[in-house]
Amino acid sequence: MKYKVLHFPILNSTNSYLKDNYKSLEDFTFVSCDYQSSGKGRNDRVWTANSGENLLFSLLIKNKEIIENYRYFPLISAFSVGEIIEKYTGKKVEIKWPNDIYINDKKVAGILLEGSIPDYVVIGIGINVNQKKFLGEYRKEPTSLFLEINKEIDINNFKQDLYLKLFECLLSLNIYKDIAFKYFHEHDYLLSKEVGFVFNNVSYRGTVLGIDDDFNILIENDSGVHHISSGEIELLK
Ligand code: BTN
């Protein structure tokens, strides 16, 4: 099996492109673009990125056997992105559960999974590569690989390495999920930190203990240890 690649100068969103065309596109199609006019982030946020300075792409997965393991896709995606960033920068990355990528306490990459199981899944990844200024409204200013190492990165080489890594990891999920779990434990941004979280529509705070075998985050407070499978975890300190 081989993957396919598409590239466009402009798309509304690489995720939307694959969602709109998943029926006619082949399994394991990667689509990237220089600029997204309606880039999407998690929780209905927008993802903005200067044209041609960043890596913006999505991967379409239709293979049913692989989709059966979709609960590991956030972990595998974050692991793949983290490894390639570390290879190109020599900097240690941290993963903020479930799959935000941080360097030096600043977000450098985000991952948005969408789809309709069991028909298809889209893994969308945005990495701030060579962008030098972030002018939008941010609660906390993001960073880019350039800002961390003061050197431009060849986006095409970086992209090819990451495509291959993701492809290999997804095809051999049984092997790579264990490696990715270990990697997560060693790169856990939230470990032991005080966080706010929402559970059954109620807001709580607690301390992060790590993750369980199903990639739920474990948060402890007075009422016990909570296994949280989705949602926003807010760092309190
Ligand atoms: C997040 O951290 O909120 C997730 C951001 C995901 C952004 C990427 S950029 C490529 C792909 N297309 C989109 O519209 N979003 C994802």
Side-chain angles (χ1 to χ4, degrees):
M1 187 150 119
K2 183 79 187 103
Y3 59 83
K4 295 92 205 158
V5 300
L6 295 171
H7 181 82
F8 296 93
I10 299 186
L11 286 175
N12 54 356
S13 144
T14 54
N15 269 33
S16 302
Y17 177 83
L18 292 182
K19 285 173 70 181
D20 292 345
N21 298 289
Y22 83 92
K23 284 195 176 137
S24 59
L25 289 169
E26 285 184 64
D27 193 20
F28 279 94
T29 298
F30 285 94
V31 62
S32 60
C33 67
D34 297 328
Y35 181 71
Q36 296 185 130
S37 53
S38 306
K40 295 187 287 186
R42 292 178 66 227
N43 300 318
D44 292 327
R45 287 191 286 259
V46 293
W47 184 262
T48 50
N50 289 357
S51 179
E53 298 178 4
N54 301 294
L55 181 51
L56 307 164
F57 76 92
S58 303
L59 167 63
L60 173 66
I61 302 164
K62 300 207 284 188
N63 181 299
K64 297 269 185 292
E65 275 171 39
I66 295 179
I67 287 179
E68 270 177 19
N69 284 311
Y70 77 93
R71 67 182 178 286
Y72 299 121
F73 288 2
L75 171 68
I76 287 290
S77 309
F79 163 66
S80 303
V81 171
E83 282 241 308
I84 300 297
I85 290 181
E86 288 184 335
K87 173 179 165 187
Y88 274 76
T89 64
K91 297 273 176 188
K92 182 169 184 196
V93 310
E94 290 182 289
I95 306 169
K96 179 173 178 275
W97 183 92
N99 49 17
D100 285 346
I101 310 295
Y102 278 64
I103 302 179
N104 284 329
D105 212 18
K106 289 179 175 170
K107 182 161 166 171
V108 71
I111 300 171
L112 174 66
L113 280 106
E114 297 187 275
S116 171
I117 289 168
D119 294 336
Y120 75 98
V121 173
V122 168
I123 301 177
I125 299 181
I127 304 175
N128 302 331
V129 181
N130 291 325
Q131 190 162 325
K132 292 164 189 76
K133 280 205 171 75
F134 292 89
L135 299 173
E137 296 246 320
Y138 300 99
R139 251 174 39 188
K140 190 171 175 193
E141 188 154 329
T143 190
S144 68
L145 304 184
F146 176 87
L147 291 174
E148 295 302 318
I149 60 170
N150 214 14
K151 203 173 116 207
E152 295 229 348
I153 283 173
D154 182 310
I155 295 177
N156 262 321
N157 290 343
F158 185 95
K159 179 167 82 174
Q160 278 168 32
D161 275 5
L162 182 50
Y163 281 7
L164 192 60
K165 178 96 200 171
L166 259 175
F167 181 65
E168 283 176 358
C169 288
L170 288 164
L171 284 197
S172 307
L173 247 165
N174 268 335
I175 298 170
Y176 280 103
K177 82 170 173 16
D178 295 337
I179 298 172
F181 264 111
K182 184 166 180 288
Y183 183 89
F184 186 93
H185 289 303
E186 292 162 357
H187 297 76
D188 187 348
Y189 178 74
L190 291 175
L191 185 66
S192 305
K193 290 188 176 149
E194 275 284 302
V195 294
F197 64 102
V198 177
F199 186 64
N200 287 341
N201 288 324
V202 183
S203 296
Y204 296 96
R205 37 195 314 163
T207 308
V208 174
L209 300 182
I211 49 165
D212 66 16
D213 291 347
D214 290 322
F215 200 49
N216 301 308
I217 189 166
L218 301 176
I219 306 177
E220 185 175 41
N221 64 9
D222 295 345
S223 55
V225 177
H226 303 269
H227 295 237
I228 311 287
S229 63
S230 65
E232 197 79 349
I233 306 292
E234 190 200 348
L235 197 56
L236 294 178
K237 290 189 230 161

